[in-house]
Amino acid sequence: MPGFSAIVLAGGSASRMNGINKQLALLNGVPVVIHSALAFERCPLVSEIILAVPEGEEENYLALCREYSVTKLKSVTPGGATRFLSVKNALSECGCEYIAIHDGARPLILTEDIDRVLGDAVKYGAAIAAAPVTDTIKKCSGGVIESTPDRSTLYAAQTPQAFRKTLYLSCADRLGRRAETLTDDSALLELCGEQVHITAVTACNMKVTRPQDLTIAAAVLRR
């Protein structure tokens, strides 16, 4: 199997965290972002890890990775103004044929689920972790329901999202500046007409976005 460069994104604004840096918040004594990095550390398909962090904080995150023995760390790069630009900065450090992009704020990802997503990326060229939607979804306009999509066809996109690097870069080239507005990595390929495989995750892979999510994530880890 070819090797993967894992990009862990840790440079978001955390606007809904009431001033808490969610990446550095402790879950059972370990920072959120380190839980995410160590999941990739344990993955045999991952050859190197690149961390994208707020500009100016590179040394702090580098020290954390050393403290918690993230031995596959290749570099810590500054994040950009958008998700795509953060990924673009990290891509300059990626030396593998395939890339895997993960939100550092998803600390509950299991290494076995990472393995499955990465394996599907090699098989199909592009694959993302996703969870079947269990709630009924309403499409609305102006506060009024327009339609109710069939939830059996709906998945909630998560990370990691993994791609053959040349395919990702080709799509980025074709979209140009439009890529900078995207909040989901796989959308880059979708807009270029490329197929992206869904890999259903087998366990909780929640994203920490609000202060109360830290309590929930800690309870899941203890369990």
Side-chain angles (χ1 to χ4, degrees):
M1 294 285 279
F4 277 79
S5 301
I7 298 172
V8 179
L9 299 175
S13 63
S15 58
R16 288 168 286 183
M17 289 295 292
N18 297 338
I20 299 171
N21 184 336
K22 62 184 177 182
Q23 302 291 348
L24 301 181
L26 299 182
L27 288 181
N28 296 354
V30 177
V32 166
V33 68
I34 295 298
H35 280 287
S36 296
L38 288 175
F40 286 87
E41 174 80 18
R42 293 187 288 267
C43 180
L45 291 179
V46 172
S47 301
E48 57 187 21
I49 297 171
I50 295 92
L51 219 58
V53 307
E55 189 170 7
E57 296 186 28
E58 293 91 340
E59 288 300 322
N60 294 336
Y61 282 83
L62 181 59
L64 266 182
C65 288
R66 288 172 177 158
E67 179 182 350
Y68 289 95
S69 300
V70 183
T71 63
K72 291 182 181 180
L73 183 73
K74 181 179 182 181
S75 63
V76 180
T77 63
T82 68
R83 182 185 186 89
F84 172 76
L85 291 176
S86 291
V87 173
K88 185 178 179 181
N89 287 349
L91 274 170
S92 65
E93 297 291 329
C94 293
C96 296
E97 182 181 354
Y98 286 80
I99 60 171
I101 305 168
H102 186 66
D103 294 321
R106 290 188 186 273
L108 304 182
I109 185 67
L110 297 179
T111 297
E112 48 262 46
D113 280 333
I114 296 174
D115 286 337
R116 293 170 56 246
V117 175
L118 272 48
D120 283 342
V122 173
K123 183 175 181 180
Y124 300 104
I128 70 167
V133 169
T134 55
D135 292 327
T136 297
I137 303 298
K138 300 292 185 180
K139 182 180 178 182
C140 302
S141 177
V144 177
I145 295 172
E146 288 187 334
S147 63
T148 305
D150 177 5
R151 71 182 180 190
S152 69
T153 68
L154 301 176
Y155 281 78
Q158 300 180 356
T159 64
Q161 301 193 0
F163 315 99
R164 191 168 65 250
K165 185 169 67 173
T166 54
L167 176 60
Y168 182 92
L169 290 172
S170 171
C171 291
D173 262 356
R174 286 148 67 185
L175 286 185
R177 293 292 297 274
R178 188 180 177 191
E180 296 179 19
T181 66
L182 302 179
T183 58
D184 176 79
D185 309 297
S186 64
L188 191 76
L189 279 71
E190 294 170 48
L191 290 172
C192 291
E194 301 289 347
Q195 291 190 338
V196 180
H197 182 79
I198 289 287
T199 305
V201 294
T202 59
C204 178
N205 186 25
M206 65 179 285
K207 186 176 183 180
V208 174
T209 57
R210 302 162 299 175
Q212 55 265 44
D213 292 338
L214 291 168
T215 303
I216 297 168
V220 173
L221 282 174
R222 285 194 298 272
R223 186 186 66 188

